[in-house]
Amino acid sequence: MGSVDKEVELKNRKGFWRESLNPWLVRAKNNPERVAYVLHRVTGFIIIAFLLAHILETDSPVWTQYAPINGLTAWSAWSYIMHVESAWYLKIGEFIVAGSVFFHALNGFRLLLTEFFGVGIGKPVEPKPPYEAPTLSAPQRTWLYIVFVLSIVLWAFSAYLIFG
Amino acid sequence: MALDFEAATRIPPKMVKIRIRRYNPETKKMWWQEYEVHAHKGMTVLDALLYIKENIDHTLGVRYSCRMGLCGSCGMNINGTPMLACQTQIAQVASGGNPVITLEPLPSFPVVKDLITEFTSFFNKHKSVKPYLIRKDTEEQETPKGHLKMKPQEFIEIFQFSNCIFCGLCYAACPVTAADPEYLGPQALMYTFRYINDVRDEGHEERFAVVDSENGCHRCHFAATCSAVCPKAVDPAGAIQALRSKLFKYRLGFYRKKGSKPLPPPPEKGERKPLPPEAMLVPGANLEQLEKEKVVISLNNK
Amino acid sequence: MAGKASNIQLWQYITAIMLIFLLGYHLVQRLPWLYNVSTYDQTLTSAIVYHQYRVGGWALLLLAYVALFHGLNGVRNMLFELHQGRIYNTVINVLFWIVFIVFSIIATVTVAKLPPI
Ligand code: SF4
Ligand code: SF4
Ligand code: FES
């Protein structure tokens, strides 16, 4: 791209926020893949935030030896933290993370199949009216519905475990 | 977007309100303007825009050419979905309960004026993937002696992708292009795949080098909105995923390109073969005599 | 560098496959009836957790490395999409490695220096 085109392009951009909102602003019929794309990103963020906190939390038997909390060290500090975390509002957080993990994992598996192995996407066909793209009715669409259903089932199961 | 045949048979609301996001490049102002148009059966959004331009407001900027979904100039955001104005029926996007149609220029493109958008970077990206046949046998290409062989099923593999009309709807709909102005975009990546998939082409290495970059095919996250809005069922989303798996194969050393050699030239024209006996004249018939005879064709002949 | 984008993406897929198994293992550890207890909370007592570290500490450590790489790399890729210039890219790369290394060290310390119960 020449620098002039870039200038025209940058001058006319409607701003970072508006463009970042594109996943929500553009509407397209017959496109649950886009829902999956947005969810995949959002759940990814939830999981990485949880992961960083989780590593610090599971390290508590070690770090409390140097910085005790409430005068508790090592495994007694661990028990204390677990006790704090069994509060209902933190359990809701845990429940959200569990749902995120299930969706992200299952949808990630579908993406692995389509993007890396190139299976489940539509084969080129002779285009005929009404011009429906083959990928939108290819096996990946079925897999996507399975992903949605399965992650909801697993999520319900995790609710039973976490709150039960 | 798949064609909606049934919409053309429906009767649209009598009066539709068309809301247009307008932009004046001279004053650099952007505003919303509303027009009321009498709709009739079979009227497209482009028809309505032309009606406005002719009868209500001559300053409205809209680009179109073929009016039949072939040139790809009239793409715009209709009620939030990138669509071709000439292929969208009023009855498809407006109803008696909600007779408002919102028109915006395509997102992710700089606006020139009103509904007209700037396609330079779109076409530059298209150019950057070398959208032409690349052959190693340059001499044969300069002075071709035969045809390049291509089986019908090999043709079908690229036909769908060659149907692209460069309307930019896919590019406007893609969430990644919106965030990343340097992303090659669905159209350019789909065209890369079209040429890599072509048995006659030998330039796959150069093209893989172009798309295997930070702004190349790995930016795509398979939201498939590009395929959902494409008016020609070109299916860029599927093409990009297939391109990626081919690129991985190529990088891991498993990729084998299907090739095509020029066919031997057709045989020289030989002596003319005599006609078969059933094509010969009936024995005894006089050709000169026959030519002189008048032929009378009468329609009232009983 | 030729093929760099592909290599990064390839590592993303490799770590994804590993995560399916490692995370599956880690989630199974929270099923109460495998440990003869009745609720999820009881699988988090220090005795059971200590036992789990002794048995599968290496797998949990590997899980931490792989998940950190996969997650941080994903975030890094998303931030790259915003194209704010060279300095921005360098800062993101440096931050990626700092966070990755620091948290990997914390995870390693957890398994290596675990106090006895
Ligand atoms: S791929 Fe489809 S939507 Fe994209 S430019 Fe070509 S015809 Fe238009
Ligand atoms: S499939 Fe890829 S190119 Fe198409 S809309 Fe989605 S991210 Fe964009
Ligand atoms: S005017 Fe040519 S595609 Fe609409």
Side-chain angles (χ1 to χ4, degrees), chain B residues 1 72 84 119 122 161 163-171 186-188 190-191 226-227 229-236:
Chain B
M1 182 133 325
L84 293 180
F119 269 53
F122 174 78
F161 306 120
N163 265 356
C164 174
I165 56 170
F166 309 100
C167 58
L169 299 190
C170 51
Y171 191 88
Q187 192 278 331
M190 178 278 296
Y191 240 68
C226 48
S227 288
V229 299
C230 177
K232 293 284 159 191
V234 172
D235 198 7

Side-chain angles (χ1 to χ4, degrees), chain A residues 31 34 37, chain B residues 170 173-177 183 185-187 189 217 219-227 236-238 240-241 244:
Chain A
N31 191 10
R34 194 180 183 104
Y37 156 84
Chain B
C170 51
C174 173
V176 180
T177 352
Y183 172 51
Q187 192 278 331
L189 291 172
C217 56
R219 269 272 181 274
C220 166
H221 297 291
F222 198 18
T225 319
C226 48
S227 288
I240 297 170
Q241 310 323 314
R244 295 171 88 167

Side-chain angles (χ1 to χ4, degrees), chain B residues 133 135 148-151 154-155 157-158 194-202 257-261:
Chain B
L133 280 190
R135 295 280 304 179
L148 283 171
K149 190 172 147 196
M150 191 176 214
K151 293 187 195 130
E154 289 166 348
F155 172 66
E157 296 231 320
I158 63 156
R194 178 244 177 275
Y195 277 100
I196 285 175
N197 226 10
D198 192 326
V199 284
R200 299 166 299 173
D201 181 73
E202 285 170 350
K257 170 88 189 164
K258 259 201 256 168
S260 161
K261 288 213 178 66

Side-chain angles (χ1 to χ4, degrees), chain B residues 46 63-75 84-87 165:
Chain B
L46 185 64
R63 175 175 54 204
Y64 73 101
S65 173
C66 67
R67 307 189 218 190
M68 49 195 265
L70 280 179
C71 68
S73 339
C74 64
L84 293 180
C86 64
Q87 268 196 357
I165 56 170

Side-chain angles (χ1 to χ4, degrees), chain A residues 1 6-7 18-19 26 31 39-40 45 66 69 84 89 94 113 116 119 134 144 147 154 157:
Chain A
M1 258 202 294
K6 214 165 161 183
E7 215 173 272
R18 200 192 152 84
E19 295 299 3
V26 163
N31 191 10
L39 279 179
H40 203 73
F45 270 116
Y66 309 101
I69 37 172
V84 171
Y89 46 90
E94 226 163 73
L113 290 179
F116 181 73
V119 293
L144 181 58
V147 165
L154 284 172
F157 178 68

Side-chain angles (χ1 to χ4, degrees), chain B residues 200-271:
Chain B
R200 299 166 299 173
D201 181 73
E202 285 170 350
H204 59 280
E205 282 168 13
E206 297 167 43
R207 290 198 190 90
F208 276 142
V210 175
V211 295
D212 188 1
S213 70
E214 218 191 285
N215 306 312
C217 56
H218 295 315
R219 269 272 181 274
C220 166
H221 297 291
F222 198 18
T225 319
C226 48
S227 288
V229 299
C230 177
K232 293 284 159 191
V234 172
D235 198 7
I240 297 170
Q241 310 323 314
L243 173 67
R244 295 171 88 167
S245 69
K246 281 213 164 129
L247 176 56
F248 283 127
K249 260 192 214 152
Y250 173 71
R251 286 283 173 228
L252 298 174
F254 301 127
Y255 182 66
R256 292 286 164 271
K257 170 88 189 164
K258 259 201 256 168
S260 161
K261 288 213 178 66
L263 288 171
E268 293 286 320
K269 277 211 176 109
E271 280 291 297

Side-chain angles (χ1 to χ4, degrees), chain B residues 129-148:
Chain B
V129 301
K130 305 177 197 289
Y132 38 80
L133 280 190
I134 298 175
R135 295 280 304 179
K136 302 249 158 68
D137 49 354
T138 30
E139 198 156 309
E140 166 71 25
Q141 296 311 304
E142 295 298 329
T143 51
K145 288 182 209 74
H147 298 286
L148 283 171

Side-chain angles (χ1 to χ4, degrees), chain B residues 47-115:
Chain B
D47 291 338
L49 285 172
L50 292 180
Y51 177 85
I52 294 171
K53 206 170 160 55
E54 281 165 15
N55 301 303
I56 308 177
D57 184 352
H58 312 310
T59 63
L60 179 68
V62 51
R63 175 175 54 204
Y64 73 101
S65 173
C66 67
R67 307 189 218 190
M68 49 195 265
L70 280 179
C71 68
S73 339
C74 64
M76 58 186 69
N77 235 5
I78 302 180
N79 284 351
T81 312
M83 294 202 241
L84 293 180
C86 64
Q87 268 196 357
T88 307
Q89 295 283 326
I90 296 273
Q92 189 180 336
V93 287
S95 58
N98 182 20
V100 184
I101 302 175
T102 312
L103 301 182
E104 286 172 89
L106 283 180
S108 299
F109 285 99
V111 184
V112 178
K113 181 180 190 295
D114 297 345
L115 297 171

